[in-house]
Amino acid sequence: MTAEAREAAAIIAERAPGFTPKVGLILGSGLGGLGDQIADAHAISYADLPGFPEPTVEGHAGRLILGTLGGVAVACLQGRVHLYEGHAPQVVQTLVRTLKVAGCETLIVTNAAGSLRTDVEAGSLMLISDHINLQPMNPLTGPNDDSFGPRFPPMSGAYDEKFRDRFKAVAARLGITLHEGVFVALLGPYFETPAEIRAFKVLGADSVGMSVAPEVIVARHCGMRVAAISVLTNLAAGLSYEELSHEQTLHYANLAAGDLSRLIVAFLEGLEDAA
Ligand code: HPA
């Protein structure tokens, strides 16, 4: 996985000579539109990058886009892999470490998630303050590559506090409501049962989804600074009468994508001076 990340980063350097991305972006279900706002964009299909699998889920394009967003050099994964697609969890190592080897010191992750709080409705945005990882596998299992990070990495403060403060300040300036809470990561692909959701509330979760945690674990292991924002596309199972579906996820992700894009662009503007 590490060798593939180095090879993929070499391909990126070859395709975009002299360009060094500083911030990696991972765009979730229905949120790929932000990738289209990248200036001077150069796209590379996942098919051309070793170890990058073709995404199988609607709403995930499967391209890496290099360019400038908010004046910052970015490398954007337009489409992610989910463990429920059947990929080995170590595939996530390849994607995130490619960004790291290419030059990214920061990772911004977005996703669609269910809300466990009835006061936070579909279409809202939530900054992730911490996660509870209930996925049964972990991308760091297997041999550890010490050149990326330690065998037993800490996960305290994984969601960078300064970045969260910056996102909150930017949201206030733009008049965008930005909630904050603890995200619980499940394997999926089924939407949880109402009993599971009640249990996760007791555990302290505010939102639920099927991604983010593996990427953040790999990024923190190799010392990247991380921020993550969810679009809450529905109240979680049992909290409303609506039947959950991927169509609903995409619908609300599309509705909130504009605000999320504005937020991320404004976060990036001037980031290099502020960070
Ligand atoms: N559960 C898990 N993943 C999700 C949900 C949900 O309710 N909504 C969007 N992604």
Side-chain angles (χ1 to χ4, degrees):
M1 304 296 159
T2 301
E4 285 169 333
R6 293 195 200 284
E7 256 178 75
I11 291 171
I12 291 170
E14 210 177 275
R15 297 272 189 103
F19 177 84
T20 306
K22 288 288 163 220
V23 174
L25 290 166
I26 301 180
L27 304 181
S29 294
L31 301 170
L34 182 57
D36 301 330
Q37 292 184 28
I38 294 175
D40 306 319
H42 181 88
I44 305 175
S45 163
Y46 284 4
D48 295 342
L49 295 168
F52 278 56
E54 284 287 311
T56 63
V57 185
E58 196 196 330
H60 289 263
R63 315 189 286 168
L64 185 139
I65 305 173
L66 304 165
T68 311
L69 193 65
V72 175
V74 299
C76 175
L77 297 180
Q78 204 177 31
R80 58 156 50 90
V81 294
H82 306 84
L83 300 188
Y84 63 71
E85 292 172 84
H87 302 298
Q90 291 80 9
V91 171
V92 179
Q93 286 182 9
T94 308
L95 272 67
V96 175
R97 288 180 182 173
T98 296
L99 298 179
K100 168 80 180 184
V101 177
C104 298
E105 286 143 16
T106 291
L107 183 67
I108 299 176
V109 186
T110 67
N111 77 331
S115 171
L116 271 64
R117 281 176 36 193
T118 48
D119 61 317
V120 180
E121 299 170 337
S124 308
L125 299 177
M126 188 181 275
L127 205 49
I128 299 181
S129 59
D130 203 349
H131 75 226
I132 301 170
N133 184 18
L134 295 184
Q135 294 192 335
M137 57 267 250
N138 186 307
L140 296 180
T141 52
N144 185 59
D145 185 334
D146 295 333
S147 67
F148 280 94
R151 171 79 287 186
F152 301 108
M155 281 297 142
S156 310
Y159 298 82
D160 194 280
E161 197 174 346
K162 283 204 179 120
F163 282 174
R164 283 190 278 135
D165 286 346
R166 183 176 173 83
F167 264 118
K168 285 181 232 176
V170 165
R173 182 156 53 79
L174 297 179
I176 294 172
T177 304
L178 182 59
H179 302 276
E180 187 173 30
V182 172
F183 172 76
V184 61
L186 276 297
L187 177 62
Y190 74 90
F191 289 111
E192 305 69 34
T193 68
E196 286 170 339
I197 293 300
R198 285 194 297 276
F200 302 150
K201 278 183 83 157
V202 174
L203 292 181
D206 299 291
S207 63
V208 60
M210 305 171 192
S211 59
V212 174
E215 296 147 0
V216 171
I217 290 168
V218 175
R220 290 302 299 149
H221 174 256
C222 66
M224 297 171 87
R225 289 175 73 187
V226 169
I229 300 184
S230 303
V231 172
L232 300 175
T233 55
N234 54 278
L235 286 179
L239 299 181
S240 88
Y241 293 108
E242 265 187 275
E243 179 93 45
L244 301 184
S245 68
H246 191 54
E247 289 66 40
Q248 183 192 30
T249 298
L250 292 178
H251 173 75
Y252 280 99
N254 278 325
L255 277 188
D259 274 355
L260 182 64
S261 297
R262 288 200 298 137
L263 201 56
I264 291 178
V265 171
F267 174 89
L268 290 173
E269 282 165 355
L271 179 67
E272 275 170 9
D273 309 325

